[in-house]
Amino acid sequence: MRFALLNGQLSFLKLCLFHLVVSVLAVSTDSVLAVDGRIAFTSYRDNGKSKIYIMDSDGGRRFELAEGYQPAWLPDGEKIGFHYRNDVWVINANGTNRVNITKGINSHSKQCPSWSPNGRKIAYVEHDGQDWDIYVMDSDGTDPRNISRDKRQNWKPSWSPYGNRISFGTWMNPWGADRLESDIFVMNADGADLINLTKNPRANNSSPSWSPDGKKIAYRASPKPFLWLPPYNIYLMNADGTNPTILTKQDRWTYEWNPAWSPDSRKLAFVKYTLDGYKDIFTINADGSGLQNITQTDKEYEGNPVWSPAPLAVSSSERMVTRWGAVKQGEKLLHTSNESDPLPVASGQ
């Protein structure tokens, strides 16, 4: 009798804790979701050297972080991973403690690092001299595994917000004489259950980016299969590949790529060629309104924007609340964290 009563009390306390956490996070949608965070990006300055910068989401307060490119925020929002000299590196967001985490694995180029939502795994692209494959390794650089294993050229992996799926772009006939075609694929985190989401044999689809709420994938697309010919626009589609929709205004000379979502899934940052022939970073609302050039730099090339994670972490450990979208969709808060968990929670709860 006492055991049953105690069990009931614990269940009641867990239920109360769940509602308390959800209530705290949802007390003010504006106060939580209006925090746009920061954007890391690459800038080609200083005689062609590629350097990573961090700025506010409106383009203000920029500062140089490190030499390198293809930045990727870690889920805790306190560190940034990036590609530099064929390896994946990690550095604190304040510029301290720069570490090469793939040093000594092999001499292959390792690019486009992407951290899983719980921070335990890294998806990346490795080039062995012939093929570009998607790999997954542990967050300390150990146990690298090729999960794509095909002769196509695969690029820019992006984790689903629940950590169980990875989207990426694939060049279907990369060295064809007449055209270059590419599609967006998605697969399980172990490489199983491969699905072509775009299925457009005469178009160019690439640079997928999964929205934090899990509902959409942003990507670059062109109706022309030929390499580098505009127009290239930012598109959105449902996470299952349905309802592809152009987001940005199309004209004959539009060239846009590398979309990246804000932590609340309300905005995207992307790269766009400007009229002077250089590249700037723009932001736009997810409904296509509010286009803004947030860098407006003169005679400089900027790219690879990536938004910092939502400021919802309750612990600096690997188990943390990071996904507002998962909370809104009613995912369980109280469970043991693993790679397929939709929402890791703080240690001790």
Side-chain angles (χ1 to χ4, degrees), residues 143-200:
D143 193 25
R145 289 167 287 123
N146 185 341
I147 63 171
S148 58
R149 294 189 177 277
D150 58 42
K151 293 300 181 183
R152 296 190 295 259
Q153 309 303 307
N154 304 302
W155 194 249
K156 202 177 186 300
S158 173
W159 291 87
S160 73
Y162 310 126
N164 59 338
R165 305 280 277 167
I166 296 174
S167 65
F168 60 99
T170 291
W171 299 339
M172 304 301 290
N173 59 335
W175 316 127
D178 57 344
R179 61 183 183 270
L180 183 145
E181 300 165 354
S182 60
D183 273 314
I184 306 297
F185 282 74
V186 65
M187 60 183 169
N188 293 344
D190 62 0
D193 195 19
L194 181 68
I195 299 173
N196 187 337
L197 294 181
T198 48
K199 297 179 182 178
N200 194 338

Side-chain angles (χ1 to χ4, degrees), residues 77-229:
E78 298 176 357
K79 296 181 180 181
I80 291 177
F82 59 99
H83 168 75
Y84 179 65
R85 292 185 177 177
N86 287 342
D87 280 309
V88 175
W89 297 64
V90 173
I91 190 171
N92 292 335
N94 62 7
T96 63
N97 195 28
R98 175 171 170 159
V99 178
N100 183 346
I101 64 172
T102 58
K103 182 179 181 180
I105 293 180
N106 56 48
S107 60
H108 299 164
S109 179
K110 306 163 194 67
Q111 301 190 29
C112 302
S114 176
W115 268 253
S116 64
N118 66 9
R120 292 183 175 182
K121 301 289 183 181
I122 306 171
Y124 65 101
V125 177
E126 183 168 313
H127 185 219
D128 63 4
Q130 290 185 326
D131 299 323
W132 296 85
D133 279 314
I134 306 296
Y135 281 69
V136 170
M137 63 181 168
D138 293 342
S139 59
D140 61 359
T142 61
D143 193 25
R145 289 167 287 123
N146 185 341
I147 63 171
S148 58
R149 294 189 177 277
D150 58 42
K151 293 300 181 183
R152 296 190 295 259
Q153 309 303 307
N154 304 302
W155 194 249
K156 202 177 186 300
S158 173
W159 291 87
S160 73
Y162 310 126
N164 59 338
R165 305 280 277 167
I166 296 174
S167 65
F168 60 99
T170 291
W171 299 339
M172 304 301 290
N173 59 335
W175 316 127
D178 57 344
R179 61 183 183 270
L180 183 145
E181 300 165 354
S182 60
D183 273 314
I184 306 297
F185 282 74
V186 65
M187 60 183 169
N188 293 344
D190 62 0
D193 195 19
L194 181 68
I195 299 173
N196 187 337
L197 294 181
T198 48
K199 297 179 182 178
N200 194 338
R202 291 195 59 81
N204 201 324
N205 308 286
S206 60
S207 300
S209 177
W210 218 305
S211 65
D213 63 13
K215 296 179 180 179
K216 300 284 184 179
I217 293 177
Y219 61 106
R220 177 185 78 165
S222 171
K224 298 181 179 181
F226 298 96
L227 179 62
W228 308 129
L229 291 181

Side-chain angles (χ1 to χ4, degrees), residues 230-299:
Y232 272 94
N233 284 94
I234 305 301
Y235 282 69
L236 301 181
M237 62 180 168
N238 294 332
D240 61 1
T242 60
N243 194 31
T245 305
I246 188 170
L247 178 67
T248 53
K249 183 178 179 181
Q250 186 181 59
D251 62 52
R252 183 178 178 184
W253 303 111
T254 300
Y255 202 95
E256 303 162 338
W257 68 103
N258 279 355
W261 291 89
S262 65
D264 57 14
S265 299
R266 292 181 174 182
K267 292 183 178 181
L268 294 101
F270 63 96
V271 185
K272 181 183 178 73
Y273 266 115
T274 54
L275 294 177
D276 60 4
Y278 293 90
K279 299 183 296 186
D280 274 330
I281 294 173
F282 287 70
T283 59
I284 191 170
N285 295 328
D287 63 2
S289 64
L291 179 68
Q292 289 185 314
N293 184 339
I294 62 171
T295 50
Q296 300 186 29
T297 49
D298 183 37
K299 296 182 180 181

